[in-house]
Amino acid sequence: QVQLVESGGGLVQAGGSLRLSCAASGRTFSRLGWFRQAPGKEREFVAAISWSGGNTDYTDSVKGRFTISRDNAKNTVDLQMNSLKPEDTAAYYCAAAPSYYLSRETSEYVYWGQGTQVTVSQ
């Protein structure tokens, strides 16, 4: 059974940092990504990473602040979030797909975690 479990969310002041982690079980995935959803808004793409880790993609609003990485031996993907802003407040979701190309589309991810809440205060 495939399962994605996120951890690492919490409450942090603006300018602070958090590191999210997602542990996958049941199989390995070529493409891993992070999405987020704020109350009343649609789920949006944050970052994605290829199997080798050599290809990454970020939404413009997090470039230079967030870093996605993966450990294939542990079957995990992390999201290091620095210089956090109140507008980063959302539930963050790990997503996975058995595809080699990167994608920003929620419809192109097959498996999803349950989400972890990130709240950034002023």
Side-chain angles (χ1 to χ4, degrees), residues 58-67 80-83:
Y58 298 91
T59 192
D60 285 347
S61 63
V62 308
K63 284 181 180 177
R65 300 189 297 123
F66 291 10
T67 302
Q80 177 66 43
M81 305 185 296
N82 298 328
S83 302

Side-chain angles (χ1 to χ4, degrees), residues 65-116:
R65 300 189 297 123
F66 291 10
T67 302
I68 189 171
S69 60
R70 66 187 293 167
D71 184 333
N72 291 336
K74 297 180 179 179
N75 210 8
T76 59
V77 58
D78 290 352
L79 185 69
Q80 177 66 43
M81 305 185 296
N82 298 328
S83 302
L84 282 161
K85 304 175 181 180
E87 51 263 45
D88 294 318
T89 295
Y92 282 70
Y93 297 88
C94 173
S99 300
Y100 285 97
Y101 63 91
L102 298 183
S103 174
R104 298 184 172 198
E105 301 298 325
T106 56
S107 60
E108 295 191 1
Y109 288 80
V110 179
Y111 301 99
W112 293 84
Q114 82 288 350
T116 186

